[in-house]
Amino acid sequence: MRRSLQGLFCGKIIIMRVGIAALMHESNTMIAGVTTADRIHEDLYLKGVDIRIRLANSHHEIGGFFAGLSKERGSSAIDAVPLAAFRATPSGMLQAGLLDRLVDELLSEIAGAGMLDGLLLAVHGAAVAEDHFDADGYWLGRVRETLGDCIPIVATLDSHANLSREMVAAVDAFVAYRTNPHLDQHSRGIEAARMMREALEEKIHPTMAAAFPPIAINIERQGTEESHLRSLYEQADRQRLGPRVLSNSILLGFPYADVPEMGSSTLVGTDNDPELAQRLADELAFALWQARDCMLGKLLDVREVIASLISLDTGRTCLLDMGDNVGGGGPANTLALLQALEESAMYPYFVCVCEPEAVRRAERHP
């Protein structure tokens, strides 16, 4: 356990200062083009008090950070110190040099914040840069190197994270989303903040271990309410009932990032029991391995799907091209659905295609 500083005395209350920051991107390496600084500024580029204004009351895990740190208990209180929050919507790899510029800005905010007793970080876990394939391992390592070992770092992860050993080495504890679709971001932020508070009060001494089964789960099979995953999360919930278990996480992975770290993993955090953490992480990884046949994608041919719609009595039907998944950074410009619907001539349809250059050409030829 990395020991924290002991805060500042204010009367009879010890005030501890915990920094809050985020650097998040889900990088699709399968598409042309890169993510530039403009995409960060379009989505989330915040520093200082603007983070509290924008995110304190949000569903985001940073909202959970603020909520979890806000309650004064006993003789200690925590001052949440917003530092920097950077995020771009899912898209191509981060442009070379961009990650280093963002990390430099984050480290500058940390340096200017004064004494910190801890750091809460919102991390996606599937970021890839042109010059740093394990982008999250790289920037987390730089933060740890700057802060040293005396300050605890607790971080949240998206369940689509491609975990690396460098990421695990850089922080004291990870807390990942437990739902996909992601409905529990705020709750996971509160969980991370609670762990930070208890670590600073020296009620717990977080230790963490990871396991890396050789599995990559098709994105179509990553719904956590489906039976093949629900049973796995139920096993994880039972683990959390153990007296020394602080948290556990199942990282489903992000298969649109073609990097060495791509794949599923498991994490367990315990109270000063690294051997228990490793044993439980291995148990979850083995359960995932045993269920590997259930993780295979069950994708359907678009023409067969269109032909089968006649048997459905659902009114409007939404079709998704999993190879051009906008939620995973796809460019939304493939025409397979459009072509198949046009060829079938069976139904009226609406297809949304993102192709700015085609629009510009059309505007020139009314």
Side-chain angles (χ1 to χ4, degrees):
M1 164 61 186
R2 300 179 174 98
R3 301 299 293 272
S4 73
L5 301 175
Q6 293 301 308
L8 300 173
F9 283 98
C10 182
K12 295 183 178 180
I13 296 178
I14 299 175
I15 299 178
M16 292 173 286
R17 304 178 75 244
V18 173
I20 292 177
L23 204 171
M24 309 179 75
H25 191 243
E26 189 175 67
S27 306
N28 188 328
T29 67
M30 309 288 185
I31 64 174
V34 295
T35 297
T36 63
D38 290 342
R39 297 293 294 270
I40 303 286
H41 286 270
E42 289 170 0
D43 185 26
L44 205 65
Y45 181 87
L46 303 170
K47 293 183 180 180
V49 68
D50 288 341
I51 299 172
R52 188 186 296 273
I53 293 171
R54 175 84 175 269
L55 296 175
N57 297 316
S58 71
H59 175 63
H60 196 278
E61 51 265 50
I62 286 183
F65 291 166
F66 282 111
L69 294 179
S70 65
K71 296 180 180 179
E72 183 176 313
R73 298 195 314 190
S75 61
S76 66
I78 293 183
D79 181 17
V81 183
L83 300 168
F86 307 132
R87 184 187 66 190
T89 55
S91 48
M93 289 188 291
L94 298 169
Q95 188 177 45
L98 175 58
L99 181 61
D100 278 297
R101 293 197 298 273
L102 293 174
V103 179
D104 287 343
E105 291 188 47
L106 171 57
L107 294 179
S108 177
E109 294 298 316
I110 292 174
M115 186 184 72
L116 295 175
D117 296 290
L119 187 62
L120 283 170
L121 297 176
V123 186
H124 186 284
V128 181
E130 286 187 302
D131 44 357
H132 301 289
F133 279 6
D134 179 14
D136 293 300
Y138 171 74
W139 78 263
L140 288 171
R142 284 193 60 187
V143 170
R144 171 54 74 195
E145 181 180 9
T146 299
L147 293 179
D149 289 338
C150 66
I151 295 180
I153 300 175
V154 179
T156 54
L157 285 172
D158 191 295
S159 56
H160 293 115
N162 292 324
L163 190 69
S164 71
R165 299 185 189 279
E166 289 72 19
M167 292 166 63
V168 175
V171 306
D172 293 274
F174 275 122
V175 176
Y177 308 162
R178 302 179 81 79
T179 62
N180 181 39
H182 305 321
L183 304 175
D184 63 335
Q185 292 170 263
H186 190 270
S187 298
R188 299 288 73 77
I190 290 177
E191 180 181 346
R194 182 178 64 249
M195 194 180 303
M196 173 63 73
R197 177 185 288 277
E198 292 180 353
L200 291 176
E201 293 173 348
E202 298 192 347
K203 294 179 179 178
I204 61 172
H205 296 77
T207 53
M208 179 173 57
F212 300 87
I215 296 174
I217 302 176
N218 189 292
I219 202 78
E220 187 263 342
R221 301 294 287 163
Q222 292 193 11
T224 53
E225 284 302 308
E226 297 182 29
S227 59
H228 66 287
L229 283 180
R230 188 167 62 247
S231 60
L232 190 65
Y233 279 91
E234 288 171 353
Q235 178 176 342
D237 289 340
R238 290 192 295 272
Q239 280 191 357
R240 289 161 69 95
L241 298 175
R244 304 197 70 173
V245 177
L246 301 177
S247 68
N248 60 16
S249 300
I250 300 168
L251 289 313
L252 302 173
F254 184 62
Y256 296 122
D258 185 14
V259 293
E261 296 76 20
M262 189 274 287
S264 303
S265 56
T266 58
L267 277 167
V268 175
T270 59
D271 183 7
N272 200 29
D273 195 336
E275 292 183 359
L276 175 63
Q278 190 63 67
R279 178 169 63 80
L280 295 180
D282 290 342
E283 286 181 5
L284 281 178
F286 183 67
L288 184 58
W289 174 253
Q290 286 186 309
R292 62 191 181 277
D293 290 344
C294 299
M295 308 298 169
L296 297 173
K298 299 180 180 179
L299 305 183
L300 304 173
D301 179 80
V302 61
R303 290 168 180 79
E304 294 177 359
V305 170
I306 292 173
S308 70
L309 294 179
I310 195 169
S311 63
L312 301 179
D313 186 22
T314 58
R316 295 183 179 90
T317 301
C318 180
L319 302 178
L320 172 65
D321 182 350
M322 295 298 290
D324 190 16
N325 180 359
V326 177
N333 62 3
T334 59
L335 302 178
L337 280 173
L338 175 61
Q339 180 178 354
L341 287 165
E342 183 67 18
E343 290 175 352
S344 73
M346 295 177 65
Y347 310 99
Y349 61 84
F350 170 80
V351 176
C352 182
V353 178
C354 180
E355 190 55 71
E357 179 57 31
V359 173
R360 286 191 287 269
R361 292 184 182 183
E363 289 175 340
R364 291 195 296 267
H365 301 282

